[in-house]
Amino acid sequence: MRIGVDIGGTFTDLCAVDETGIVAVHKVLTTHDEPARAVEEGLAALLPGLGAVEQVVHGTTLVTNALIERTGSRTALLATAGFRDVLEMRREHRYELYDLHLELPAPLVPRHLRFDVPERILADGSVHTGLDEGYVRRLGRELAARGIEAVAVCFLHAFTNPGHERRVAELLAEVAPALRVALSSDVVPEIREFERTSTTVANVYVQDRTERYLRDLEQRLRRLGITRAPHIMLSSGGLATVDTAARFPIRILESGPAGGALAAAELGPPELLAFDMGGTTAKLCLIAGGTPLVTHEFEVDRKYRLLPGSGLPVRVPVTDMIEIGVGGGSIARIDALGLLTVGPDSAGSEPGPVCYGRGGTEPTVTDADLVLGYLDPGYFLGGSMRLDTDAARAVLSERIAAPLGVSVEEAAWGIHTSVNEDMANAARVHAVERGHDPAKLPMYTFGGAGPVHGAGVARALGAPSVVAPPAAGVLSAAGFLTAPLAFDFVRSARAAVHDLEWAQVDALFAEMEAEGAALLAKSGVDGVTHHRVAEMRYAGQGYEIRVPVHDGPWPESLIDEFTRTYRALYRRTGPEVGVEVLNWRVVSSGPKPSVTLRLPAQPAGEARKGTRKAWFPSTGGFVDTTVFDRYRLAAGTRVDGPAIVEERESTVVVPPGAHCVVREDGALEVTV
């Protein structure tokens, strides 16, 4: 028995799998004050009746929340003399050129805690100015006396020569052993000063809180009789041990969303759009070639949710997805212009939507979906949580319908369709920027709210169909169980391709592969495989693209692969200039688990549960809509819209004019 656990902004999802498939799923409200408590409560409810648990795989939003809420350690920055302000100067780029009130996230380290250390290493790794060890010793004692808890060390060109950074770590261990120290040459040993500094600071800023959480989680699992240490989901789609995740917490920044993308890739065709909508956010990811795309450029705490450059950059491998602040708990309001807007703020799980009856006072997407008849107030979470329809109608009437001069149902439909259009627009941009036409891709939808909105998003996007996989409401947790133990490594070595010798490149790769094999061997992993990647660009360009490195005639094979990748992205080749490599990367992975993500066979019976009124404008308003029990629908069954298919953790809405077919794997495919 293996269990996946995903902590979201509203619910904590659990999914248990054995060799036959998905055997149990569960949802509990997330406990934000003590996230591991929800995990323990969910497992305590799930475990009775299950066999011995061989593995628990866990994903969490803890790191993201700590960075956004600024609840990490009191941190200082040690930088090369003259460069302490790189954290605040950033790239001097205005992400919104004409905004006179441009807002940027404040640095995690204030200026009075950023220090210039006398030292200098040149780009070729040679030492220009030696490290002032006396200064470091004095500074270390002062920082400890002032109550500083963590220190980030980021020196110029440390990715080429880490000697000075490592010596600083030794000196601080001597004079202030209680300080947590993170070195940029360990966390992100690659070029680009601002991104490297930002990532190193973020890593040590959340390290103490993350480690305490992970150790608490281990203890709670042991209390439940689960003796094996959990594995932690990485943002890139691999797994890590608790020790590795505690050392590099920035690598688990986007661990939850990665699980859903992995599950969609496991269940679907090689090319698809994965759409995950939970209680707080919606995520869209492009699956190409059977695997989720991965990027090394990510921002957290964006001040403008869709504008790159408005957040804190983090240079780590993450599943390439776009995330927007619309979920079941997203709050709807009338803005200063008298227009209806939804999100990005969310009611979360505390207090939650008004219909939860937990003290919520603002209208949300879930309230709107309930009023429209898409959700059964008596069968939410399988009936374990009753929803208050009257309260949802009242708050929608007061806050939305009355100010707009429309009916409560029209207000609810406005919220519902506004969310669908927002997500369709985001999906369109995300796919086109990566060289794909979204109108030709099936969309796999999951998360608690995803199947409710899936058909609407697909219709707005022009997608041919939308698929709700088995256990769609907890699919991210299930996806964790498809991931192998893996870790990424990088070396910066900028050079023109024609100036490189294969022996040099192979030696660099071999060094990273040996490091990966050693790391995975500590977890008892055999059969480690390595995937080699070069980050390349035309000489003079500011950014690079990822190119797989294969055996073949050198350097022609690498240039050919670069040209092919470039053309696939931009539909053209670049200028007649040389090609250069900036970074070399290796992904070291263990064997991929063998998992069947399907529900067990259910006893035959009447699938039709009855009817209820649901609102569809194309039919003129409320219409009697047939409701089906998903667990009783046999493979091959066709359901014509309007219809609603319910399971414990999610609900599939089949609008008028669409139809739904139950596939052999148990997935519901809605053709719009």
Side-chain angles (χ1 to χ4, degrees), residues 75-81 83-84 86 109 113-119 131 135-137 139-140 143 148 150-156 164-165 168-169 171-172 179 181-184 193 197 200-201:
T75 304
L77 170 66
L78 275 58
T80 298
F83 288 84
R84 69 170 176 157
V86 70
V109 180
L113 291 178
R114 305 197 296 258
F115 300 93
D116 288 322
V117 177
E119 70 86 38
L131 176 67
Y135 176 89
V136 175
R137 286 191 175 94
L139 180 60
L143 293 175
I148 301 302
V151 174
V153 184
C154 192
F155 292 158
L156 278 183
H164 283 181
E165 285 194 351
V168 166
L171 295 171
L172 292 179
L179 284 177
V181 179
L183 308 180
S184 73
E193 193 70 10
T197 305
T200 307
V201 167

mmCIF file of all heavy atoms in Angstrom, residues 75-81 83-84 86 109 113-119 131 135-137 139-140 143 148 150-156 164-165 168-169 171-172 179 181-184 193 197 200-201:
data_model
loop_
_atom_site.group_PDB
_atom_site.id
_atom_site.type_symbol
_atom_site.label_atom_id
_atom_site.label_comp_id
_atom_site.label_asym_id
_atom_site.label_seq_id
_atom_site.Cartn_x
_atom_site.Cartn_y
_atom_site.Cartn_z
ATOM 1 N N THR A 75 17.004 36.611 8.377
ATOM 2 C CA THR A 75 18.095 36.199 7.496
ATOM 3 C C THR A 75 18.998 37.372 7.138
ATOM 4 O O THR A 75 18.536 38.508 6.957
ATOM 5 C CB THR A 75 17.510 35.592 6.206
ATOM 6 O OG1 THR A 75 16.631 34.524 6.553
ATOM 7 C CG2 THR A 75 18.603 35.065 5.290
ATOM 8 N N ALA A 76 20.300 37.094 7.015
ATOM 9 C CA ALA A 76 21.297 38.068 6.545
ATOM 10 C C ALA A 76 21.897 37.579 5.238
ATOM 11 O O ALA A 76 21.861 36.380 4.924
ATOM 12 C CB ALA A 76 22.388 38.263 7.591
ATOM 13 N N LEU A 77 22.459 38.503 4.464
ATOM 14 C CA LEU A 77 23.100 38.179 3.193
ATOM 15 C C LEU A 77 24.547 38.650 3.213
ATOM 16 O O LEU A 77 24.831 39.798 3.563
ATOM 17 C CB LEU A 77 22.366 38.845 2.027
ATOM 18 C CG LEU A 77 23.062 38.788 0.662
ATOM 19 C CD1 LEU A 77 23.146 37.351 0.163
ATOM 20 C CD2 LEU A 77 22.344 39.676 -0.354
ATOM 21 N N LEU A 78 25.448 37.757 2.840
ATOM 22 C CA LEU A 78 26.865 38.097 2.664
ATOM 23 C C LEU A 78 27.160 38.064 1.178
ATOM 24 O O LEU A 78 27.012 37.025 0.531
ATOM 25 C CB LEU A 78 27.770 37.116 3.405
ATOM 26 C CG LEU A 78 28.040 37.398 4.897
ATOM 27 C CD1 LEU A 78 26.740 37.447 5.688
ATOM 28 C CD2 LEU A 78 28.982 36.347 5.474
ATOM 29 N N ALA A 79 27.565 39.225 0.620
ATOM 30 C CA ALA A 79 27.820 39.339 -0.810
ATOM 31 C C ALA A 79 29.214 39.895 -1.038
ATOM 32 O O ALA A 79 29.839 40.469 -0.139
ATOM 33 C CB ALA A 79 26.778 40.239 -1.465
ATOM 34 N N THR A 80 29.718 39.726 -2.242
ATOM 35 C CA THR A 80 30.993 40.326 -2.615
ATOM 36 C C THR A 80 30.913 41.836 -2.425
ATOM 37 O O THR A 80 29.889 42.460 -2.729
ATOM 38 C CB THR A 80 31.315 39.999 -4.084
ATOM 39 O OG1 THR A 80 31.426 38.585 -4.226
ATOM 40 C CG2 THR A 80 32.609 40.653 -4.526
ATOM 41 N N ALA A 81 31.984 42.445 -1.917
ATOM 42 C CA ALA A 81 32.007 43.881 -1.658
ATOM 43 C C ALA A 81 31.544 44.653 -2.888
ATOM 44 O O ALA A 81 32.053 44.469 -3.992
ATOM 45 C CB ALA A 81 33.416 44.319 -1.259
ATOM 46 N N PHE A 83 28.329 44.514 -3.963
ATOM 47 C CA PHE A 83 27.229 43.830 -4.640
ATOM 48 C C PHE A 83 26.091 43.434 -3.692
ATOM 49 O O PHE A 83 25.244 42.627 -4.047
ATOM 50 C CB PHE A 83 27.747 42.581 -5.366
ATOM 51 C CG PHE A 83 28.553 42.902 -6.580
ATOM 52 C CD1 PHE A 83 29.906 43.202 -6.476
ATOM 53 C CD2 PHE A 83 27.963 42.948 -7.828
ATOM 54 C CE1 PHE A 83 30.654 43.523 -7.589
ATOM 55 C CE2 PHE A 83 28.701 43.268 -8.952
ATOM 56 C CZ PHE A 83 30.055 43.562 -8.836
ATOM 57 N N ARG A 84 26.037 44.029 -2.515
ATOM 58 C CA ARG A 84 24.981 43.628 -1.581
ATOM 59 C C ARG A 84 23.602 44.078 -2.046
ATOM 60 O O ARG A 84 22.592 43.508 -1.630
ATOM 61 C CB ARG A 84 25.265 44.186 -0.191
ATOM 62 C CG ARG A 84 25.147 45.696 -0.057
ATOM 63 C CD ARG A 84 25.205 46.112 1.397
ATOM 64 N NE ARG A 84 25.177 47.564 1.538
ATOM 65 C CZ ARG A 84 24.786 48.191 2.641
ATOM 66 N NH1 ARG A 84 24.392 47.487 3.683
ATOM 67 N NH2 ARG A 84 24.789 49.499 2.708
ATOM 68 N N VAL A 86 22.346 43.923 -5.073
ATOM 69 C CA VAL A 86 21.810 43.249 -6.253
ATOM 70 C C VAL A 86 20.421 42.675 -5.967
ATOM 71 O O VAL A 86 19.570 42.580 -6.859
ATOM 72 C CB VAL A 86 22.777 42.143 -6.731
ATOM 73 C CG1 VAL A 86 22.814 40.978 -5.750
ATOM 74 C CG2 VAL A 86 22.395 41.635 -8.112
ATOM 75 N N VAL A 109 15.606 39.975 2.594
ATOM 76 C CA VAL A 109 16.623 40.487 3.514
ATOM 77 C C VAL A 109 16.650 42.011 3.409
ATOM 78 O O VAL A 109 16.951 42.546 2.334
ATOM 79 C CB VAL A 109 18.014 39.917 3.184
ATOM 80 C CG1 VAL A 109 19.057 40.463 4.163
ATOM 81 C CG2 VAL A 109 17.996 38.399 3.225
ATOM 82 N N LEU A 113 20.689 44.279 6.815
ATOM 83 C CA LEU A 113 21.198 42.933 7.074
ATOM 84 C C LEU A 113 21.916 42.356 5.850
ATOM 85 O O LEU A 113 22.146 41.152 5.778
ATOM 86 C CB LEU A 113 20.057 41.999 7.499
ATOM 87 C CG LEU A 113 19.447 42.281 8.873
ATOM 88 C CD1 LEU A 113 18.299 41.324 9.161
ATOM 89 C CD2 LEU A 113 20.511 42.189 9.967
ATOM 90 N N ARG A 114 22.260 43.216 4.898
ATOM 91 C CA ARG A 114 23.046 42.795 3.739
ATOM 92 C C ARG A 114 24.442 43.385 3.886
ATOM 93 O O ARG A 114 24.593 44.602 4.085
ATOM 94 C CB ARG A 114 22.382 43.261 2.435
ATOM 95 C CG ARG A 114 20.940 42.799 2.309
ATOM 96 C CD ARG A 114 20.424 42.891 0.888
ATOM 97 N NE ARG A 114 20.357 44.243 0.373
ATOM 98 C CZ ARG A 114 19.251 44.963 0.275
ATOM 99 N NH1 ARG A 114 18.097 44.474 0.719
ATOM 100 N NH2 ARG A 114 19.267 46.163 -0.251
ATOM 101 N N PHE A 115 25.480 42.531 3.742
ATOM 102 C CA PHE A 115 26.842 42.944 4.075
ATOM 103 C C PHE A 115 27.806 42.714 2.915
ATOM 104 O O PHE A 115 27.732 41.694 2.223
ATOM 105 C CB PHE A 115 27.334 42.183 5.314
ATOM 106 C CG PHE A 115 26.476 42.418 6.530
ATOM 107 C CD1 PHE A 115 25.432 41.549 6.838
ATOM 108 C CD2 PHE A 115 26.686 43.515 7.353
ATOM 109 C CE1 PHE A 115 24.623 41.762 7.940
ATOM 110 C CE2 PHE A 115 25.885 43.734 8.464
ATOM 111 C CZ PHE A 115 24.853 42.858 8.764
ATOM 112 N N ASP A 116 28.692 43.694 2.722
ATOM 113 C CA ASP A 116 29.758 43.607 1.724
ATOM 114 C C ASP A 116 30.964 42.908 2.335
ATOM 115 O O ASP A 116 31.569 43.422 3.287
ATOM 116 C CB ASP A 116 30.172 45.004 1.255
ATOM 117 C CG ASP A 116 29.116 45.654 0.372
ATOM 118 O OD1 ASP A 116 28.511 44.925 -0.423
ATOM 119 O OD2 ASP A 116 28.917 46.878 0.479
ATOM 120 N N VAL A 117 31.332 41.759 1.800
ATOM 121 C CA VAL A 117 32.484 41.008 2.298
ATOM 122 C C VAL A 117 33.682 41.275 1.389
ATOM 123 O O VAL A 117 33.585 41.068 0.171
ATOM 124 C CB VAL A 117 32.176 39.496 2.344
ATOM 125 C CG1 VAL A 117 33.401 38.716 2.800
ATOM 126 C CG2 VAL A 117 30.985 39.219 3.253
ATOM 127 N N PRO A 118 34.805 41.727 1.936
ATOM 128 C CA PRO A 118 35.995 41.950 1.109
ATOM 129 C C PRO A 118 36.499 40.638 0.502
ATOM 130 O O PRO A 118 37.018 39.773 1.212
ATOM 131 C CB PRO A 118 37.007 42.537 2.093
ATOM 132 C CG PRO A 118 36.183 43.089 3.223
ATOM 133 C CD PRO A 118 35.020 42.157 3.330
ATOM 134 N N GLU A 119 36.293 40.434 -0.786
ATOM 135 C CA GLU A 119 36.767 39.278 -1.542
ATOM 136 C C GLU A 119 36.368 39.504 -2.988
ATOM 137 O O GLU A 119 35.461 40.273 -3.285
ATOM 138 C CB GLU A 119 36.174 37.960 -1.025
ATOM 139 C CG GLU A 119 34.700 37.758 -1.278
ATOM 140 C CD GLU A 119 34.388 37.158 -2.640
ATOM 141 O OE1 GLU A 119 35.134 36.279 -3.102
ATOM 142 O OE2 GLU A 119 33.394 37.594 -3.263
ATOM 143 N N LEU A 131 39.883 36.446 0.487
ATOM 144 C CA LEU A 131 38.822 36.582 1.477
ATOM 145 C C LEU A 131 39.384 37.158 2.776
ATOM 146 O O LEU A 131 40.401 36.685 3.294
ATOM 147 C CB LEU A 131 38.185 35.217 1.741
ATOM 148 C CG LEU A 131 37.110 35.150 2.825
ATOM 149 C CD1 LEU A 131 35.872 35.922 2.408
ATOM 150 C CD2 LEU A 131 36.753 33.693 3.132
ATOM 151 N N TYR A 135 37.267 39.709 8.959
ATOM 152 C CA TYR A 135 35.971 40.385 8.807
ATOM 153 C C TYR A 135 34.832 39.391 8.969
ATOM 154 O O TYR A 135 33.831 39.673 9.647
ATOM 155 C CB TYR A 135 35.907 41.057 7.428
ATOM 156 C CG TYR A 135 34.577 41.705 7.120
ATOM 157 C CD1 TYR A 135 34.320 43.028 7.472
ATOM 158 C CD2 TYR A 135 33.563 40.985 6.480
ATOM 159 C CE1 TYR A 135 33.095 43.617 7.193
ATOM 160 C CE2 TYR A 135 32.332 41.564 6.202
ATOM 161 C CZ TYR A 135 32.101 42.882 6.561
ATOM 162 O OH TYR A 135 30.895 43.458 6.294
ATOM 163 N N VAL A 136 34.956 38.212 8.371
ATOM 164 C CA VAL A 136 33.894 37.214 8.443
ATOM 165 C C VAL A 136 33.701 36.745 9.883
ATOM 166 O O VAL A 136 32.558 36.589 10.351
ATOM 167 C CB VAL A 136 34.203 36.023 7.522
ATOM 168 C CG1 VAL A 136 33.169 34.916 7.691
ATOM 169 C CG2 VAL A 136 34.255 36.471 6.066
ATOM 170 N N ARG A 137 34.800 36.545 10.609
ATOM 171 C CA ARG A 137 34.682 36.098 12.008
ATOM 172 C C ARG A 137 33.958 37.154 12.852
ATOM 173 O O ARG A 137 33.061 36.839 13.633
ATOM 174 C CB ARG A 137 36.064 35.813 12.590
ATOM 175 C CG ARG A 137 36.717 34.531 12.081
ATOM 176 C CD ARG A 137 37.958 34.202 12.909
ATOM 177 N NE ARG A 137 38.535 32.927 12.536
ATOM 178 C CZ ARG A 137 39.513 32.778 11.646
ATOM 179 N NH1 ARG A 137 40.006 33.849 11.031
ATOM 180 N NH2 ARG A 137 39.976 31.574 11.350
ATOM 181 N N LEU A 139 31.942 39.506 11.837
ATOM 182 C CA LEU A 139 30.558 39.630 11.395
ATOM 183 C C LEU A 139 29.720 38.460 11.915
ATOM 184 O O LEU A 139 28.576 38.639 12.343
ATOM 185 C CB LEU A 139 30.500 39.686 9.872
ATOM 186 C CG LEU A 139 29.106 39.828 9.249
ATOM 187 C CD1 LEU A 139 28.436 41.110 9.725
ATOM 188 C CD2 LEU A 139 29.197 39.810 7.727
ATOM 189 N N GLY A 140 30.284 37.258 11.901
ATOM 190 C CA GLY A 140 29.554 36.099 12.388
ATOM 191 C C GLY A 140 29.171 36.247 13.847
ATOM 192 O O GLY A 140 28.029 35.935 14.233
ATOM 193 N N LEU A 143 26.348 38.876 14.095
ATOM 194 C CA LEU A 143 25.053 38.376 13.640
ATOM 195 C C LEU A 143 24.410 37.468 14.683
ATOM 196 O O LEU A 143 23.203 37.549 14.942
ATOM 197 C CB LEU A 143 25.213 37.624 12.313
ATOM 198 C CG LEU A 143 25.614 38.460 11.093
ATOM 199 C CD1 LEU A 143 25.846 37.568 9.887
ATOM 200 C CD2 LEU A 143 24.550 39.505 10.775
ATOM 201 N N ILE A 148 20.244 36.923 14.586
ATOM 202 C CA ILE A 148 20.058 36.455 13.211
ATOM 203 C C ILE A 148 20.068 34.925 13.220
ATOM 204 O O ILE A 148 20.885 34.290 13.884
ATOM 205 C CB ILE A 148 21.171 36.998 12.288
ATOM 206 C CG1 ILE A 148 21.159 38.525 12.309
ATOM 207 C CG2 ILE A 148 20.996 36.475 10.872
ATOM 208 C CD1 ILE A 148 19.841 39.134 11.892
ATOM 209 N N ALA A 150 19.679 32.901 10.151
ATOM 210 C CA ALA A 150 20.117 32.276 8.902
ATOM 211 C C ALA A 150 20.965 33.250 8.101
ATOM 212 O O ALA A 150 20.770 34.471 8.182
ATOM 213 C CB ALA A 150 18.913 31.830 8.077
ATOM 214 N N VAL A 151 21.889 32.704 7.313
ATOM 215 C CA VAL A 151 22.795 33.517 6.491
ATOM 216 C C VAL A 151 22.870 32.907 5.100
ATOM 217 O O VAL A 151 23.099 31.698 4.950
ATOM 218 C CB VAL A 151 24.206 33.593 7.102
ATOM 219 C CG1 VAL A 151 25.166 34.310 6.151
ATOM 220 C CG2 VAL A 151 24.167 34.301 8.446
ATOM 221 N N ALA A 152 22.678 33.742 4.088
ATOM 222 C CA ALA A 152 22.887 33.341 2.698
ATOM 223 C C ALA A 152 24.203 33.939 2.222
ATOM 224 O O ALA A 152 24.467 35.126 2.445
ATOM 225 C CB ALA A 152 21.743 33.826 1.822
ATOM 226 N N VAL A 153 25.027 33.131 1.589
ATOM 227 C CA VAL A 153 26.326 33.582 1.083
ATOM 228 C C VAL A 153 26.301 33.476 -0.437
ATOM 229 O O VAL A 153 26.095 32.383 -0.979
ATOM 230 C CB VAL A 153 27.483 32.742 1.649
ATOM 231 C CG1 VAL A 153 28.824 33.300 1.190
ATOM 232 C CG2 VAL A 153 27.410 32.702 3.176
ATOM 233 N N CYS A 154 26.478 34.613 -1.102
ATOM 234 C CA CYS A 154 26.415 34.626 -2.561
ATOM 235 C C CYS A 154 27.509 35.549 -3.091
ATOM 236 O O CYS A 154 27.351 36.774 -3.124
ATOM 237 C CB CYS A 154 25.045 35.085 -3.036
ATOM 238 S SG CYS A 154 24.775 34.819 -4.795
ATOM 239 N N PHE A 155 28.627 34.952 -3.497
ATOM 240 C CA PHE A 155 29.760 35.715 -4.006
ATOM 241 C C PHE A 155 29.803 35.662 -5.529
ATOM 242 O O PHE A 155 29.326 34.698 -6.156
ATOM 243 C CB PHE A 155 31.075 35.170 -3.451
ATOM 244 C CG PHE A 155 31.260 35.399 -1.968
ATOM 245 C CD1 PHE A 155 32.138 34.609 -1.230
ATOM 246 C CD2 PHE A 155 30.562 36.401 -1.295
ATOM 247 C CE1 PHE A 155 32.325 34.808 0.129
ATOM 248 C CE2 PHE A 155 30.738 36.602 0.065
ATOM 249 C CZ PHE A 155 31.621 35.807 0.781
ATOM 250 N N LEU A 156 30.391 36.665 -6.119
ATOM 251 C CA LEU A 156 30.554 36.702 -7.569
ATOM 252 C C LEU A 156 31.313 35.470 -8.067
ATOM 253 O O LEU A 156 32.340 35.093 -7.492
ATOM 254 C CB LEU A 156 31.332 37.954 -7.989
ATOM 255 C CG LEU A 156 30.576 39.274 -8.117
ATOM 256 C CD1 LEU A 156 31.529 40.341 -8.612
ATOM 257 C CD2 LEU A 156 29.397 39.141 -9.064
ATOM 258 N N HIS A 164 35.828 30.545 -1.791
ATOM 259 C CA HIS A 164 35.570 31.572 -0.782
ATOM 260 C C HIS A 164 34.263 31.312 -0.043
ATOM 261 O O HIS A 164 34.184 31.507 1.180
ATOM 262 C CB HIS A 164 35.537 32.954 -1.443
ATOM 263 C CG HIS A 164 36.895 33.489 -1.765
ATOM 264 N ND1 HIS A 164 37.098 34.725 -2.343
ATOM 265 C CD2 HIS A 164 38.132 32.954 -1.593
ATOM 266 C CE1 HIS A 164 38.397 34.919 -2.523
ATOM 267 N NE2 HIS A 164 39.036 33.859 -2.076
ATOM 268 N N GLU A 165 33.240 30.885 -0.737
ATOM 269 C CA GLU A 165 31.972 30.599 -0.061
ATOM 270 C C GLU A 165 32.134 29.471 0.944
ATOM 271 O O GLU A 165 31.615 29.546 2.075
ATOM 272 C CB GLU A 165 30.894 30.239 -1.086
ATOM 273 C CG GLU A 165 30.340 31.422 -1.866
ATOM 274 C CD GLU A 165 29.061 31.100 -2.621
ATOM 275 O OE1 GLU A 165 28.682 29.909 -2.678
ATOM 276 O OE2 GLU A 165 28.435 32.039 -3.137
ATOM 277 N N VAL A 168 33.865 30.662 4.056
ATOM 278 C CA VAL A 168 32.970 31.436 4.910
ATOM 279 C C VAL A 168 32.107 30.497 5.757
ATOM 280 O O VAL A 168 31.906 30.732 6.949
ATOM 281 C CB VAL A 168 32.079 32.368 4.063
ATOM 282 C CG1 VAL A 168 30.922 32.922 4.892
ATOM 283 C CG2 VAL A 168 32.899 33.513 3.492
ATOM 284 N N ALA A 169 31.606 29.416 5.157
ATOM 285 C CA ALA A 169 30.799 28.454 5.915
ATOM 286 C C ALA A 169 31.606 27.855 7.057
ATOM 287 O O ALA A 169 31.088 27.679 8.176
ATOM 288 C CB ALA A 169 30.294 27.357 4.984
ATOM 289 N N LEU A 171 34.175 29.255 8.616
ATOM 290 C CA LEU A 171 34.425 30.284 9.629
ATOM 291 C C LEU A 171 33.185 30.547 10.471
ATOM 292 O O LEU A 171 33.270 30.697 11.700
ATOM 293 C CB LEU A 171 34.884 31.577 8.946
ATOM 294 C CG LEU A 171 36.238 31.508 8.215
ATOM 295 C CD1 LEU A 171 36.478 32.769 7.406
ATOM 296 C CD2 LEU A 171 37.369 31.290 9.214
ATOM 297 N N LEU A 172 32.015 30.614 9.831
ATOM 298 C CA LEU A 172 30.783 30.851 10.584
ATOM 299 C C LEU A 172 30.465 29.676 11.500
ATOM 300 O O LEU A 172 29.926 29.860 12.595
ATOM 301 C CB LEU A 172 29.623 31.102 9.620
ATOM 302 C CG LEU A 172 29.681 32.402 8.804
ATOM 303 C CD1 LEU A 172 28.490 32.501 7.868
ATOM 304 C CD2 LEU A 172 29.728 33.621 9.723
ATOM 305 N N LEU A 179 24.018 29.344 13.572
ATOM 306 C CA LEU A 179 23.518 29.963 12.343
ATOM 307 C C LEU A 179 23.303 28.915 11.247
ATOM 308 O O LEU A 179 24.154 28.051 11.034
ATOM 309 C CB LEU A 179 24.508 31.019 11.822
ATOM 310 C CG LEU A 179 24.572 32.368 12.526
ATOM 311 C CD1 LEU A 179 25.660 33.221 11.887
ATOM 312 C CD2 LEU A 179 23.237 33.088 12.430
ATOM 313 N N VAL A 181 23.450 28.262 7.402
ATOM 314 C CA VAL A 181 24.201 28.894 6.321
ATOM 315 C C VAL A 181 23.887 28.190 5.007
ATOM 316 O O VAL A 181 23.939 26.954 4.929
ATOM 317 C CB VAL A 181 25.718 28.855 6.588
ATOM 318 C CG1 VAL A 181 26.480 29.502 5.431
ATOM 319 C CG2 VAL A 181 26.039 29.559 7.904
ATOM 320 N N ALA A 182 23.536 28.962 3.985
ATOM 321 C CA ALA A 182 23.311 28.425 2.635
ATOM 322 C C ALA A 182 24.292 29.085 1.682
ATOM 323 O O ALA A 182 24.461 30.306 1.704
ATOM 324 C CB ALA A 182 21.880 28.680 2.179
ATOM 325 N N LEU A 183 24.943 28.273 0.861
ATOM 326 C CA LEU A 183 25.910 28.768 -0.116
ATOM 327 C C LEU A 183 25.291 28.697 -1.508
ATOM 328 O O LEU A 183 24.703 27.679 -1.892
ATOM 329 C CB LEU A 183 27.188 27.928 -0.081
ATOM 330 C CG LEU A 183 27.847 27.721 1.283
ATOM 331 C CD1 LEU A 183 29.109 26.869 1.123
ATOM 332 C CD2 LEU A 183 28.175 29.064 1.932
ATOM 333 N N SER A 184 25.457 29.763 -2.277
ATOM 334 C CA SER A 184 24.899 29.757 -3.633
ATOM 335 C C SER A 184 25.531 28.672 -4.486
ATOM 336 O O SER A 184 24.890 28.124 -5.388
ATOM 337 C CB SER A 184 25.099 31.122 -4.287
ATOM 338 O OG SER A 184 26.451 31.347 -4.643
ATOM 339 N N GLU A 193 23.567 36.679 -11.498
ATOM 340 C CA GLU A 193 23.798 37.068 -10.110
ATOM 341 C C GLU A 193 22.518 37.291 -9.317
ATOM 342 O O GLU A 193 22.368 36.795 -8.197
ATOM 343 C CB GLU A 193 24.656 38.337 -10.083
ATOM 344 C CG GLU A 193 25.218 38.678 -8.724
ATOM 345 C CD GLU A 193 26.296 37.695 -8.285
ATOM 346 O OE1 GLU A 193 26.738 36.877 -9.103
ATOM 347 O OE2 GLU A 193 26.683 37.754 -7.118
ATOM 348 N N THR A 197 21.271 34.920 -6.221
ATOM 349 C CA THR A 197 21.164 35.489 -4.879
ATOM 350 C C THR A 197 19.755 35.320 -4.327
ATOM 351 O O THR A 197 19.561 34.895 -3.184
ATOM 352 C CB THR A 197 21.532 36.984 -4.909
ATOM 353 O OG1 THR A 197 22.828 37.150 -5.482
ATOM 354 C CG2 THR A 197 21.531 37.575 -3.510
ATOM 355 N N THR A 200 19.133 31.618 -3.343
ATOM 356 C CA THR A 200 19.881 31.207 -2.151
ATOM 357 C C THR A 200 19.267 31.788 -0.892
ATOM 358 O O THR A 200 19.120 31.099 0.133
ATOM 359 C CB THR A 200 21.354 31.640 -2.272
ATOM 360 O OG1 THR A 200 21.898 31.162 -3.500
ATOM 361 C CG2 THR A 200 22.174 31.097 -1.119
ATOM 362 N N VAL A 201 18.884 33.060 -0.951
ATOM 363 C CA VAL A 201 18.245 33.701 0.199
ATOM 364 C C VAL A 201 16.921 33.003 0.523
ATOM 365 O O VAL A 201 16.634 32.687 1.685
ATOM 366 C CB VAL A 201 18.014 35.199 -0.083
ATOM 367 C CG1 VAL A 201 17.077 35.798 0.959
ATOM 368 C CG2 VAL A 201 19.332 35.950 -0.094
#
